[in-house]
Amino acid sequence: MKFRAYRGIPFFTYNERFNQRFHFTTLFRKVQATEARASLNPGGSSSNSTSQGSTLLLPGATVATIVMLGLLHARRLYDDQKIEDAREKGTLEFQPDVKATFMRLLPLRAVSRFWGTLTSVELPMWLRPSVYKGWARAFHSNLEEVALPLEEYASLREFFVRRLKEGTRPIDSDPCSLISPVDGTVLQFGELKEAGAMIEQVKGFSYSVSSLLGTSSLLPMTVVDDSTNQDGGKEGSMDDANQKSWWRVSLSSPKVRDPAPARPMKGLFYCVIYLRLGDYHRIHSPADWNVLGRRHFSGRLFPVNERATRTIRNLYVENERVVLEGKWQEGYMAMAAVGATNIGSIELFIEPTLRTNRPWKKLLHPEPPEEQVYEPKGTGVLLKKGDELAAFNMGSTVVMVFQAPILRPSADKSTSTEFSFCVKKGDRVRVGEALGR
């Protein structure tokens, strides 16, 4: 009885003449079928084995694919290591690339709407624990903090915006503290000092706070008239500047631009916090404050991960976002909840009728923001520190802009109080922990 050697799925069978004609086959190792036959049938003739044998070869396309994937994986590991080294040295720089231009052509809004529909599908009861545990393992979510049994979350969307057990996020009781509104990573923070009130997206590129919040915002800025000298420059109000059109559209990269040069008032700070996919996705109030109004920008839905921040200009300015403005004990406060790919849906608990990630009405030009003034006018909605405010469907970014005291004399006149951050760039923070005092 004779056994045939296993041939696999050869790309082709060739003879010696064909091998001489196509030189690229010398790149592969020849495995002679005669050796396999000798081991299986020692008594068989070598001439018979040779006549029926052939060489085993992997398909050329398969080998090329494996090599390409290996090279891409090695390149990704190398890039990630470079990013990690640069982060440790504090030298991350803006590096635009072709991928950022290509992403502008993708239907990311439609993709995000499809993903939202998919995650809203009700799962069978028996399947829910397995799905949610798999998600938790993949994105490092802590299931011990979940308020309800996993079987009670009907869909992935409900699991994304889950509440936590009582007491898992204690709120800092210091009345002079400003707490983190979300679980996330601190990307940037500091004081706005220079003209234009610029926030650093990454080293080598910044974006304007007025562009992020909208030039009709209550941002405490002073407009400098260029017609006068800088020393005794004439100052105008932001209301005068807002009479001008806040749109100046660039077809290559539509964005909001400041209508006039302006400088921030002293004591204006900012903090940018990034939420990962596995983080707790609800947004809480960072202090006792009155929310006076809301502004909704229906922009793009680029990703907001670290790689995107280094390659896409005006990332937070161009993305869809919901901006809340108001007052707290130290003055102005604003929070911008920035959407991203698959995260265009932002729920606002103080305004349940708000709908985000809707189809664009205009294709060539961005739409102006929708504004809502909360009643009673001048008082708005009162929120206490730690109150639930909004929720992301998955993760994204929150940008806080607020006033705080700088070198203000205290009651005994022997010391002075000044706001200072108690976090560092790259720190992981949780809801209720102090960002600064």
Side-chain angles (χ1 to χ4, degrees), residues 365-381:
H365 301 287
E367 302 174 15
E370 297 179 359
E371 300 192 28
Q372 174 69 40
V373 177
Y374 294 138
E375 298 295 338
K377 189 173 183 179
T379 302
V381 180

Side-chain angles (χ1 to χ4, degrees), residues 86-147:
R87 185 190 295 112
E88 293 177 358
K89 297 177 181 179
T91 57
L92 275 174
E93 295 184 356
F94 183 76
Q95 299 175 351
D97 58 11
V98 178
K99 291 180 293 184
T101 304
F102 174 72
M103 291 188 65
R104 299 181 185 276
L105 305 177
L106 299 178
L108 297 179
R109 181 169 293 275
V111 171
S112 299
R113 291 173 61 83
F114 172 76
W115 176 254
T117 303
L118 186 64
T119 56
S120 299
V121 174
E122 184 172 346
L123 300 176
M125 186 79 69
W126 60 269
L127 184 60
R128 295 172 188 175
S130 300
V131 172
Y132 304 149
K133 289 178 181 178
W135 177 273
R137 284 194 298 269
F139 300 107
H140 310 289
S141 300
N142 187 358
L143 295 182
E144 295 180 358
E145 299 176 340
V146 178

Side-chain angles (χ1 to χ4, degrees), residues 104 112 181 200 207 422:
R104 299 181 185 276
S112 299
E200 186 179 62
Y207 58 94
C422 53

Side-chain angles (χ1 to χ4, degrees), residues 188-203:
Q188 303 285 349
F189 67 89
E191 183 179 358
L192 298 170
K193 297 180 179 180
E194 300 180 358
M198 307 298 288
I199 295 179
E200 186 179 62
Q201 178 173 310
V202 72
K203 187 176 180 180

